[in-house]
Amino acid sequence: MAAAESLEKAPRLPRISDATLRDSAHMAGVEFGPADAAVIADLLVRTGVELVEVGMVSGPNSKDADLVLATHEAVGPERSMTLVVVRDRRQVAQALDEAERLGVRHIMYSIPTSEQHARLKLDSHSPKYVEKLARSAVSQAKERGFHVTFSGEDGARTPKERLVPYVTAGFEAGADRFRLAETVAYLSPWQMEEVIADLVAIDGSEIEIHSHNMLGMAVANSLAAVRAGAQWVSATVGGIGERGGNAPLAELLTSLRVIHGDTRFDLTHLTELSRVALRGAGLGDAFQSGPTTPHAFAYELPGQLSHPAAYETLPAELVGNTRELRVRSRLTPALVTWALADSGLLVDIAAFTPWLAEQQERNGRPLLDRDAIRKAAIDFQPA
């Protein structure tokens, strides 16, 4: 009787997508090359991962083009998905042009849904505006024949009365799947079940969970989401990723094996995957999740450094940690401006930024922090 009850309560086993070549690849200071992408994508597919998320596109001449093309070469565009940033209708059209140029078939829209993130990135926190933007973006992509997943960036902190109408609007516009992004680790497993239950109740919904691991609950929250009806789980190799990391693929798949008897995946590739990803990320022999690591509060985008509260449930100082800048080649004038603020150093940012980028390429892209950028500014000799 107990066994029958257990089988009755067992959730439908989820499909797995992996975001190592997107989320991990955009962790501060981490940059995978095309060779890394090809090996990681191939091993993921051999493991049984259904979809490999690679790269980010916001407009023409994407910096991630080589990663996307290498992944397509390794596993085919049908097994890969590329994130498309959404800010306004015109920008979306340009991003879709780039996605088409790269041969992308599956896109994942990143759309901020929480009031805080919408105000920061869209200059409007109006829920009606966010819904309208989602409808427009989804419609544009479906007209071009893309498979469309749309996200709720910072969705875990988005109230039900704001999130559910947004998700409903996306599906009404023709979206194929919705990803709840726990951009900032925030929910307990039992809270996650409640949130997902509201979403799976939407007509025609297909739901994915993408959790971050700052609180150490990314796998637990992913399993809770599946228990509540989510059909997809997003993970990364080794849990490598921003803000304390992501749901680690190995722990997720072994948990599915032990807890649910899931034998769909070839787990023998997991150790090699971890070694390849750690080597490509330059993280040594292991990646540690949680709030006390050097990379937990590290950023390489000026918006994250200037508005840390939008990306942190708890501040770095609370656990005795510090907020850091970490960057290799993704230097921008805005980032350099942030690094030099209040330093007393007066340099021509427009001339210094490309000079520093050239130095980085020449020296093998060493990791830069704020002090290193300031030291470089002192050494800067304009032509």
Side-chain angles (χ1 to χ4, degrees), residues 71-367:
T71 302
H72 288 181
E73 180 70 22
V75 300
E78 297 83 4
R79 298 296 295 267
S80 65
M81 175 173 68
T82 296
L83 184 145
V84 173
V85 176
V86 173
R87 293 296 178 262
D88 58 56
R89 184 179 178 86
R90 181 179 178 185
Q91 174 266 318
V92 167
Q94 293 176 333
L96 292 178
D97 288 343
E98 178 72 353
E100 286 186 326
R101 183 184 75 82
L102 295 174
V104 172
R105 307 273 181 83
H106 297 248
I107 65 166
M108 200 282 287
Y109 276 134
S110 177
I111 306 174
T113 55
S114 69
E115 182 174 336
Q116 189 175 22
H117 274 238
R119 180 183 286 111
L120 180 63
K121 298 176 180 180
L122 302 178
D123 294 326
S124 173
H125 66 279
S126 164
K128 294 298 182 184
Y129 176 77
V130 177
E131 290 171 30
K132 181 179 178 181
L133 185 60
R135 287 181 186 273
S136 172
V138 171
S139 297
Q140 286 187 69
K142 294 305 295 183
E143 287 170 2
R144 298 188 189 213
F146 287 103
H147 182 284
V148 180
T149 298
F150 71 112
S151 80
E153 185 183 347
D154 202 24
R157 291 195 300 183
T158 304
K160 174 182 176 179
E161 59 272 16
R162 184 183 178 97
L163 183 63
V164 171
Y166 164 80
V167 178
T168 302
F171 281 116
E172 288 176 349
D176 299 283
R177 181 161 71 249
F178 171 73
R179 171 185 286 180
L180 179 72
E182 197 179 14
T183 305
V184 178
Y186 182 72
L187 298 176
S188 65
W190 49 94
Q191 291 171 317
M192 179 64 76
E193 285 198 46
E194 293 180 2
V195 173
I196 295 297
D198 290 333
L199 301 180
V200 298
I202 297 171
D203 287 342
S205 65
E206 181 174 298
I207 306 299
E208 178 174 1
I209 179 61
H210 175 86
S211 283
H212 281 257
N213 207 30
M214 185 69 91
L215 303 181
M217 293 191 290
V219 169
N221 279 356
S222 297
L223 295 177
V226 171
R227 179 182 170 89
Q231 295 102 317
W232 287 80
V233 176
S234 169
T236 66
V237 176
I240 302 169
E242 302 176 278
R243 295 178 297 282
N246 295 85
L249 180 69
E251 285 88 327
L252 174 66
L253 297 187
T254 52
S255 293
L256 288 171
R257 173 74 66 95
V258 172
I259 297 170
H260 297 300
D262 187 354
T263 58
R264 294 174 298 160
F265 301 96
D266 183 352
L267 307 184
T268 62
H269 300 296
L270 291 175
T271 297
E272 184 181 1
L273 261 170
S274 293
R275 289 172 179 165
V276 172
L278 287 165
R279 183 182 67 235
L283 293 171
D285 296 326
F287 174 79
Q288 182 184 353
S289 63
T292 61
T293 63
H295 46 254
F297 297 94
Y299 305 106
E300 65 177 15
L301 295 176
Q304 294 173 329
L305 290 159
S306 301
H307 304 279
Y311 297 90
E312 300 170 4
T313 309
L314 301 170
E317 297 79 10
L318 185 69
V319 293
N321 208 336
T322 56
R323 199 167 292 110
E324 302 286 353
L325 179 156
R326 287 177 170 235
V327 65
R328 294 186 187 274
S329 70
R330 299 183 185 123
L331 289 159
T332 63
L335 185 64
V336 171
T337 299
W338 183 92
L340 298 182
D342 302 320
S343 67
L345 296 169
L346 299 176
V347 298
D348 182 346
I349 299 294
F352 173 61
T353 303
W355 177 87
L356 181 55
E358 184 179 333
Q359 297 296 312
Q360 283 293 96
E361 288 296 325
R362 183 179 300 132
N363 296 329
R365 299 183 181 182
L367 193 63

